[in-house]
Amino acid sequence: QVIKCRAAVAWAPGKPFSIEEVEVAPPKAGEVRIKLVAAGICRTDEHLLQGCFPKAEFPIIPGHEGAGIVESVGEGVTSMKPGDKVIPLCHPQCGECSFCQNPESNFCQKSHFSELQNLLPDKTSRFSCKGKQIHHFLWVSTFSEYTVVPEYAVAKIDAAAPLDKVCVFGCGFSTGYGAAINTAKVKPGSTCAVFGLGGVGLSAVMGCKAAGASRIIAVDINKDKFAKAKQMGATDCINPRDFKKPIQQVLTEMTGQGVDYSFEAIGHPDTMRAALEACHKGWGVSVIVGVAGAGQEISTRPFQLVTGRTWKGTAFGGWKSVDNVPKLVTEYMSKKIKVDEFVTHMLPFDKINEAFELMHSGK
């Protein structure tokens, strides 16, 4: 049956959300329909609203970080059943492509970087509103009370998990934490710098701490973020606006030769460059975690790399999503990782535009 429910629709770039009644079609073969219980908001949704997200199409239901309960499944779905708690995944794991079969990679041929996720795999939408087709966002569209997602973009999780907390495993936490653990492979006793202390950056701080880093320098222009960063494991917090010299020079002077690992969790080409140049000659590794606007480019002098620095990027923190998100939730349930501290505000769904204002104001 078609379900009528509320969703936050973005009709065009640059416009606020409009809460609309939408129709959500039943799942087709290999698909799962989910009743969303909680959704997190992330800068990537903001990039989408500003029209900076590559190849997305409007009108669209954004949102890519959420958790819910399976309402119904399409033909052939065997890994979950109605009533199961799940996290929809903006980074799928089909299990069949050459990337999924390579243990070195968490990329998937079905992800938006290869095949657009504006429509479901059969190139149709499950959403309509006022007689118009509405596009999906990364197949997930968590800003709807119900959504339909391919089975290989859903992780079944612990039945006892609190959905209003574990929704952050759908993007922010997994991305930042995995950037340190999987992509950089931070070593015990090392020195790290994290640029940007939103949810992703704070998760990277926590990942550096979990990996045994002895010094973690948190960098942000909003000093209100520093207390939380220290709670997550940062040893030093610095504001680039407090210095006359470039931040990479400040970090190099603070550490003698630069940091062993740096993470850019903002999405600006200039801070990506600063993060690389703050790395130690000979072995420093810098990981780009933030997503820059479509068409932007990065630059540095080749000498930075010739002298032994490594520049890497990460998508979804290097985790194979279907396999690893349930394990991360289990680690949270056994108190090995903290997540509750990431939730600063809880708002009802119809206040979604206010939630974005809180994000803009750094709260």
Side-chain angles (χ1 to χ4, degrees), residues 172-236:
F173 180 85
S174 305
T175 300
Y177 189 72
I181 302 280
N182 299 324
T183 310
K185 298 185 170 58
V186 169
K187 292 193 177 90
S190 58
T191 301
C192 302
V194 178
F195 289 68
L197 301 175
V200 175
L202 290 171
S203 306
V205 168
M206 195 186 285
C208 293
K209 186 181 182 189
S214 58
R215 192 173 185 194
I216 303 166
I217 305 166
V219 184
D220 202 297
I221 55 174
N222 179 356
K223 61 182 189 308
D224 296 341
K225 306 254 181 180
F226 292 168
K228 185 79 78 166
K230 292 211 159 144
Q231 194 185 345
M232 298 300 180
T235 54
D236 309 67

Side-chain angles (χ1 to χ4, degrees), residues 96-284:
E96 291 170 359
C97 68
S98 60
F99 297 101
C100 283
Q101 296 195 349
N102 186 329
E104 297 295 304
S105 163
N106 78 318
F107 197 76
C108 175
Q109 192 67 41
K110 303 279 189 210
S111 77
H112 191 83
F113 306 106
S114 299
E115 299 176 14
L116 299 187
Q117 293 170 301
N118 301 325
L119 297 169
L120 289 187
D122 71 348
K123 303 294 178 249
T124 63
S125 171
R126 301 292 163 272
F127 295 123
S128 57
C129 179
K130 300 176 181 167
K132 276 193 174 161
Q133 170 182 280
I134 307 292
H135 292 92
H136 294 248
F137 180 49
L138 300 177
W139 286 341
V140 178
S141 293
T142 55
F143 296 167
S144 172
E145 291 174 323
Y146 286 84
T147 190
V148 178
V149 185
E151 181 181 16
Y152 49 77
V154 184
K156 180 182 163 182
I157 59 165
D158 187 329
L163 297 175
D164 59 345
K165 302 293 193 296
V166 299
C167 63
V168 301
F169 286 108
C171 174
F173 180 85
S174 305
T175 300
Y177 189 72
I181 302 280
N182 299 324
T183 310
K185 298 185 170 58
V186 169
K187 292 193 177 90
S190 58
T191 301
C192 302
V194 178
F195 289 68
L197 301 175
V200 175
L202 290 171
S203 306
V205 168
M206 195 186 285
C208 293
K209 186 181 182 189
S214 58
R215 192 173 185 194
I216 303 166
I217 305 166
V219 184
D220 202 297
I221 55 174
N222 179 356
K223 61 182 189 308
D224 296 341
K225 306 254 181 180
F226 292 168
K228 185 79 78 166
K230 292 211 159 144
Q231 194 185 345
M232 298 300 180
T235 54
D236 309 67
C237 294
I238 59 173
N239 181 343
R241 288 182 174 162
D242 293 343
F243 302 93
K244 291 215 163 43
K245 54 183 84 161
I247 193 64
Q248 51 267 55
Q249 201 178 326
V250 174
L251 285 162
T252 302
E253 287 168 9
M254 280 175 76
T255 54
Q257 288 279 358
V259 297
D260 302 313
Y261 304 95
S262 69
F263 302 86
E264 199 276 0
I266 303 165
H268 288 314
D270 49 352
T271 40
M272 291 171 185
R273 177 174 188 162
L276 174 77
E277 295 177 1
C279 276
H280 202 295
K281 275 195 197 80
W283 64 75

Side-chain angles (χ1 to χ4, degrees), residues 9-13 15-16 18 20 58-60 129-130 132-134:
V9 178
W11 289 101
K15 298 261 165 57
S18 173
E20 305 279 5
F58 291 79
I60 189 169
C129 179
K130 300 176 181 167
K132 276 193 174 161
Q133 170 182 280
I134 307 292

Side-chain angles (χ1 to χ4, degrees), residues 7 13 15 28 33 37 44 77 79 86 107 114 138 156-157 176 184 192 197 213 217 230 330 335 338 341 350-351:
K15 298 261 165 57
K28 294 188 183 176
R33 187 160 60 180
V37 172
T44 307
V77 171
S79 62
V86 292
F107 197 76
S114 299
L138 300 177
K156 180 182 163 182
I157 59 165
C192 302
L197 301 175
I217 305 166
K230 292 211 159 144
T330 302
K335 303 208 166 14
K338 295 188 232 179
E341 291 76 3
D350 51 12
K351 298 263 172 78

Side-chain angles (χ1 to χ4, degrees), residues 45 99 332:
D45 301 310
F99 297 101
Y332 160 73

